Amino acid sequence: MSTSHYSEASLRALIEPFGNPVLAVVDGRVSAANDAYLALLGLPRERVEGRSVMDFVQPEERSRLIERYRLVESGGAMEARTQVYQVPSADGVTREVALYASRIPLEGGRHALLLNLLPLTDKPPELSMAERLVETSASLVSAHSEDAVRRVALKGLEAAGFRVRLLRWDGLRLNPLDGGAPPPDVALGLEALSDGRPVFGGAERASPTHVYLPVGGPQVEVLRVEGPWVAPRHGSVLTLFAKVVGAALTDARVQSDSTRSRWEVGAVAEMARFVARPIPPTPEDFLSRVSELLLAEAAALHLTRGAEGPLVLSAHVGLTEVVGPGGDVARLGGVMGGSVPDALDGDLTSEAQAQALREASQGTLGSGAAVRLARGGEVCGVLQVLRAPDRPFDARDVRLLGTLSELLMTLLEQRRLRSESARQLTETRLLLDLARTTSGVLETSSILDVASDFLVHLLDVSNCYIMLYDESAKVLRGAAASAAHRDFFRTVVLSLSSDSVAARAARERKPVVIEDVEASGGGFNPQLVQRFGEKALLALPLTSREELIGVVLVDDTRRARTFSPELVELAEATCGQLSLSIANARLYESLWASYAELAATRAEMVKRERLAALGELSAIVAHEVRNPLGVIFNAVASLRRLLEPSGDAAMLLDILGEESDRLNRMVGDLLDYTRPRDPVLQHEDLSRVLQDSLEAARAQGGAPDRPVRIDAEVEQGLPPVPMDRRLIRQALVNVAVNAIQSMPQGGLVQVRARREAHAGREQLRIDVADQGPGIPAELLHRVFEPFFTTKAQGTGLGLAVVKRILEEHRGEIAVDSTPGRGTTFTFRLPLSQPPSFP
């Protein structure tokens, strides 16, 4: 080669005539390249010239060649022998070349490397195939999933010139993963799989055309490799490649399982923290989390009602969005959740179920997984998740769903316990409220009203009725009821021997339950059941110290229902508290009645002693006063007869006579008040007694001299009244005289007589009303006191005598007065007293 100095521009002219690839390198960059080198790289000139020469060598040799170039540039010796290198081309094919390098001087004292390349002849196809399989095996290391391993293996075999299909064993047959029809000689694949060795096919040709290679792996797969270089002598290479692929699949599965396991542990831990919140989440919230974890479109929870009841859709998410507002959610959720999975560890969707899901969801859903829920060994529900048809669940999803179902059972149990605790707390508070209320009330009627309303809320029933036992009549009498039927139920009376549920509870001294009135066929009072519209009944006896007090009856008018043992036990405890309260109230009422009777007896004794002393004193005074009064009356009469006085003398004699008469009346009133009497009761015509009394009152009260009208009205059909006619006449006269005298300017005195129910018995009521000035409120309570009067000429004994007469008749008198509007005195006499005889 010439030793002349070249310029960089002349280098192209130097190398262009060469037919083999040649390039000139100056300062590590491609200064010029001929067309043969560009064809070798498969790149245009502008993408080659000017770039580093190291860009066009194999990456694994790049570092060594950079260091080698530096040594040469620094003056190091160049080897005379030809070197063999691999040159990558743009089409991905690596070609081997023999390289000879020489140093060429350049102008300015510089130099260039002239690289002369000689492409080596093509290698045998078998060697290229083996190299491609080795390269593919190396690429499998970077594949981190089973699908990636399959893609790399198939792509490498196809790059080596083979046609490949992958078949998988499903337990019954080999199925192509590409979805096509199985090969005609698929039996050879089964033979390869069972023997664990390559099995060649192609009996119609002299040489084999394809081979079945058992891959193994987690899912037991077989490669069907077809190509011109398939021969038994290559069996060891292909078998090794198949084993590498199987190992890569296993490793990918292990890595995937490890990653999945770590993810599942984290997911379960997160769900556990979610379930362990202070306030437990709702089942719908739990299902939403499960759907997110398993990438499901919907999730549903079915639970049983009762020990052996059917599965019922209890909670769901995503189903409404799939079927729409008016869709049949229960139908869609029941495809898998309507029955318990056959497998203990869960089920995947069968073909029939997948078809049913697609039909029910208009093609939105088509795959699902379900696991059973169990409590204490008994199946109590099903948890299911649903996906689109093209995203099926696998066994790992079912396993995770089973773990999550245990957390769901914990959540349901936690919510049940919390609800039970809240219910028990509420019941305890209600019982405490009942105890506090009944202990503070000592009236039986008030206790029963409070207890009726309380039991409605405590037992979640429609109505409550309480009946008390009347031992003398052997009947149950309505005593109280909840607000809706309170007034009517007090009129209800049931015989203890009747077939009603209340009477049975009273006789048997134990709860009696009718869960469905319509289906029971009897055992209740049909009139009351029809009136109240009752569907279910529960009767409980009220007892205290083995004695029957009454019966509590509760009903449900909404539906037939089962009264659970826990509810009946709660009701019995409440009835026990109620029985104790009633017994205490009755004891208090009896004690209070005894005290009241004792106080009345004591007051009566004191009164009688006072009256006796007053009567004795009155008799003495009357005897001592009336003798002088008789003398005064005789003297005044004699003086009038002898003197025939007039003027002042006549006036003085009139005054003396009036005062003497007043003193005589006072003595008479005093004797009337203090004289002990036993009224002689006879059945009298009230109309005649009133007429006689009012005429006498008109004469004594000066009614003829005043514009006073007296109006009397007696109820039609009033029977004869047992009374002492003389004493009642005196009482009516005293009250009527007071009424007339209270109206000096005139007015109306109204007298009304009628029957009325008072204090539990039928009585006669007589009202005497005037239009006088009335009695001041501060004096009203003293009008019946002896010797109290507001009249200038009164003795203060008239109304005291009236009160005593009424009390002797076992009656009473009351007064009502409004200042400026008049006063009304009310007599009450019993209508059922037996007559007495003098």
Side-chain angles (χ1 to χ4, degrees):
M1 187 174 290
S2 175
T3 59
S4 60
H5 290 72
Y6 295 89
S7 65
E8 287 192 42
S10 62
L11 288 176
R12 186 183 307 278
L14 174 66
I15 66 175
E16 191 61 40
F18 287 92
N20 59 295
V22 180
L23 69 159
V25 179
V26 178
D27 296 332
R29 296 186 175 277
V30 178
S31 176
N34 66 356
D35 291 339
Y37 183 71
L38 297 177
L40 177 66
L41 296 180
L43 296 172
R45 188 178 300 279
E46 61 270 15
R47 293 184 59 185
V48 176
E49 293 181 349
R51 293 176 60 184
S52 172
V53 68
M54 297 304 168
D55 291 344
F56 307 106
V57 299
Q58 284 289 81
E60 54 268 23
E61 284 197 297
R62 188 170 296 162
S63 297
R64 184 183 71 84
L65 293 178
I66 291 174
E67 186 63 25
R68 178 65 182 162
Y69 181 78
R70 288 175 182 171
L71 293 175
V72 172
E73 284 288 299
S74 62
M78 298 181 63
E79 294 183 8
R81 64 187 183 90
T82 303
Q83 304 294 322
V84 178
Y85 295 97
Q86 290 185 331
V87 178
S89 61
D91 59 1
V93 178
T94 302
R95 293 177 173 84
E96 288 186 348
V97 297
L99 182 145
Y100 177 78
S102 60
R103 186 180 286 113
I104 299 176
L106 298 177
E107 297 175 347
R110 302 165 61 203
H111 66 270
L113 284 180
L114 189 66
L115 304 180
N116 193 347
L117 308 180
L118 180 63
L120 299 178
T121 58
D122 292 338
K123 292 177 287 188
E126 292 86 348
L127 181 59
S128 299
M129 180 265 293
E131 290 178 349
R132 177 59 64 183
L133 293 182
V134 171
E135 292 175 0
T136 303
S137 299
S139 301
L140 292 175
V141 177
S142 61
H144 300 295
S145 68
E146 293 181 73
D147 289 339
V149 169
R150 295 186 185 97
R151 285 195 300 271
V152 170
L154 294 178
K155 185 177 180 181
L157 287 171
E158 290 171 354
F162 295 108
R163 294 186 298 277
V164 189
R165 297 185 73 184
L166 189 62
L167 300 92
R168 179 181 298 166
W169 174 253
D170 65 359
L172 296 176
R173 62 184 65 86
L174 282 172
N175 298 308
L177 294 187
D178 56 13
D185 59 351
V186 70
L188 298 179
L190 294 176
E191 180 182 348
L193 186 63
S194 62
D195 293 346
R197 58 177 176 78
V199 175
F200 292 88
E204 68 280 2
R205 302 283 295 275
S207 298
T209 59
H210 58 275
V211 62
Y212 288 93
L213 301 173
V215 175
Q219 295 185 330
V220 190
E221 298 173 4
V222 175
L223 279 171
R224 185 182 188 277
V225 181
E226 182 178 356
W229 305 286
V230 172
R233 66 178 181 275
H234 303 143
S236 59
V237 176
L238 295 174
T239 301
L240 178 61
F241 178 76
K243 289 182 177 180
V244 170
V245 173
L249 287 172
T250 301
D251 184 63
R253 170 59 69 90
V254 170
Q255 292 186 33
S256 176
D257 287 347
S258 177
T259 302
R260 170 88 182 200
S261 297
R262 289 194 299 271
W263 173 79
E264 287 183 358
V265 170
V268 171
E270 177 63 26
M271 288 296 291
R273 287 191 293 270
F274 178 69
V275 170
R277 288 179 175 180
I279 299 178
T282 64
E284 287 77 9
D285 292 337
F286 185 90
L287 293 180
S288 296
R289 290 293 187 94
V290 171
S291 297
E292 293 174 3
L293 286 176
L294 294 176
L295 303 177
E297 278 79 15
L301 170 65
H302 287 72
L303 297 176
T304 58
R305 289 184 178 176
E308 298 180 356
L311 288 169
V312 178
L313 184 62
S314 177
H316 61 86
V317 294
L319 296 182
T320 303
E321 291 77 5
V322 172
V323 302
D328 192 350
V329 174
R331 177 192 170 201
L332 179 58
V335 171
M336 293 192 70
S339 60
V340 178
D342 295 332
L344 293 177
D345 53 354
D347 275 347
L348 294 173
T349 313
S350 65
E351 288 295 333
Q353 290 174 336
Q355 179 63 28
L357 285 175
R358 288 192 292 270
E359 292 176 356
S361 63
Q362 292 78 45
T364 303
L365 303 176
S367 64
V371 294
R372 63 177 64 184
L373 304 177
R375 180 188 296 115
E378 296 292 332
V379 176
C380 62
V382 171
L383 172 63
Q384 63 167 324
V385 288
L386 303 172
R387 279 184 189 163
D390 58 343
R391 296 193 302 115
F393 291 96
D394 57 24
R396 296 179 299 175
D397 296 323
V398 175
R399 184 180 66 248
L400 176 58
L401 189 63
T403 303
L404 296 178
S405 70
E406 296 178 4
L407 290 176
L408 177 58
M409 286 304 303
T410 302
L411 172 61
L412 295 177
E413 184 66 13
Q414 186 177 358
R415 290 179 62 85
R416 186 189 67 80
L417 293 176
R418 187 181 182 89
S419 175
E420 182 69 17
S421 299
R423 184 186 65 81
Q424 291 178 356
L425 179 59
T426 301
E427 291 175 354
T428 302
R429 286 176 176 173
L430 289 173
L431 289 173
L432 287 175
D433 289 342
L434 177 63
R436 189 182 301 112
T437 302
T438 55
S439 62
V441 178
L442 295 174
E443 295 181 358
T444 303
S445 59
S446 300
I447 291 175
L448 297 181
D449 288 341
V450 170
S452 299
D453 294 332
F454 168 82
L455 284 169
V456 169
H457 296 290
L458 179 64
L459 304 179
D460 186 27
V461 293
S462 302
N463 301 291
C464 174
Y465 313 96
I466 300 178
M467 310 185 77
L468 297 182
Y469 177 53
D470 185 346
E471 188 174 4
S472 60
K474 303 297 182 184
V475 296
L476 294 169
R477 300 185 184 275
S482 47
H485 307 288
R486 185 162 292 165
D487 293 335
F488 166 77
F489 197 73
R490 288 193 175 100
T491 65
V492 174
V493 178
L494 295 177
S495 172
L496 196 64
S497 60
S498 66
D499 192 35
S500 67
V501 64
R504 288 165 53 199
R507 292 194 304 269
E508 299 172 7
R509 307 290 178 89
K510 65 180 182 181
V512 177
V513 177
I514 298 181
E515 297 178 350
D516 189 344
V517 171
E518 294 182 358
S520 65
F524 52 83
N525 187 295
Q527 291 80 16
L528 295 179
V529 167
Q530 183 177 4
R531 181 184 182 91
F532 300 145
E534 294 166 325
K535 302 293 191 300
L537 294 169
L538 169 62
L540 304 110
L542 293 173
T543 59
S544 178
R545 297 179 181 178
E546 303 301 326
E547 294 184 1
L548 181 64
I549 296 178
V551 174
V552 171
L553 181 67
V554 297
D555 67 18
D556 198 320
T557 61
R558 299 163 295 186
R559 62 188 182 280
R561 63 177 290 181
T562 299
F563 294 97
S564 64
E566 294 80 7
L567 185 139
V568 175
E569 184 177 351
L570 176 62
E572 286 184 300
T574 308
C575 289
Q577 174 66 34
L578 180 58
S579 299
L580 180 61
S581 300
I582 294 174
N584 290 339
R586 285 182 172 180
L587 181 61
Y588 173 80
E589 291 173 356
S590 177
L591 184 61
W592 180 258
S594 299
Y595 281 145
E597 184 178 355
L598 180 62
T601 302
R602 182 178 179 182
E604 183 66 23
M605 290 178 62
V606 172
K607 180 180 177 182
R608 287 183 179 274
E609 290 179 0
R610 288 179 178 176
L611 288 176
L614 184 60
E616 184 177 351
L617 177 62
S618 299
I620 295 173
V621 171
H623 176 74
E624 296 299 330
V625 171
R626 278 187 167 174
N627 285 337
L629 280 177
V631 175
I632 293 173
F633 284 138
N634 290 333
V636 170
S638 298
L639 288 174
R640 288 182 186 278
R641 187 176 61 255
L642 294 175
L643 299 179
E644 296 181 359
S646 61
D648 292 341
M651 182 184 67
L652 292 175
L653 287 174
D654 289 341
I655 292 174
L656 181 61
E658 289 176 1
E659 291 301 318
S660 298
D661 186 58
R662 176 171 173 269
L663 183 60
N664 187 50
R665 288 199 309 274
M666 184 179 296
V667 171
D669 289 344
L670 182 61
L671 289 174
D672 286 341
Y673 180 70
T674 59
R675 183 184 301 116
R677 291 167 297 195
D678 290 325
V680 179
L681 303 181
Q682 298 292 331
H683 288 86
E684 302 287 349
D685 184 356
L686 182 63
S687 298
R688 296 181 58 184
V689 174
L690 279 179
Q691 181 180 359
D692 186 23
S693 302
L694 295 178
E695 289 177 357
R698 185 188 298 272
Q700 294 182 23
D705 301 329
R706 303 179 187 185
V708 174
R709 292 186 300 109
I710 300 177
D711 182 18
E713 180 180 341
V714 179
E715 179 184 327
Q716 292 292 332
L718 192 67
V721 182
M723 68 174 72
D724 188 314
R725 179 188 181 94
R726 180 180 60 82
L727 295 178
I728 295 300
R729 177 182 181 278
Q730 181 182 354
L732 288 172
V733 169
N734 287 357
V735 173
V737 167
N738 285 346
I740 294 171
Q741 293 177 351
S742 69
M743 298 182 296
Q745 305 302 322
L748 174 65
V749 177
Q750 288 185 318
V751 181
R752 298 285 183 269
R754 65 182 186 276
R755 286 178 292 189
E756 75 166 5
H758 181 73
R761 57 181 178 173
E762 191 177 33
Q763 295 189 352
L764 168 68
R765 174 173 175 165
I766 303 175
D767 293 323
V768 180
D770 61 52
Q771 297 177 338
I775 302 172
E778 63 273 12
L779 301 179
L780 196 61
H781 67 285
R782 300 188 60 193
V783 296
F784 297 112
E785 292 181 3
F787 306 109
F788 173 77
T789 182
T790 58
K791 299 179 184 178
Q793 302 295 325
T795 63
L797 291 172
L799 291 178
V801 170
V802 172
K803 185 174 186 298
R804 186 177 178 192
I805 291 174
L806 266 296
E807 290 176 348
E808 290 170 347
H809 279 74
R810 298 182 182 178
E812 61 182 37
I813 185 171
V815 61
D816 181 27
S817 181
T818 303
R821 299 183 61 181
T823 302
T824 300
F825 284 89
T826 300
F827 291 41
R828 286 189 175 89
L829 292 171
L831 288 173
S832 59
Q833 295 189 84
S836 59
F837 302 94

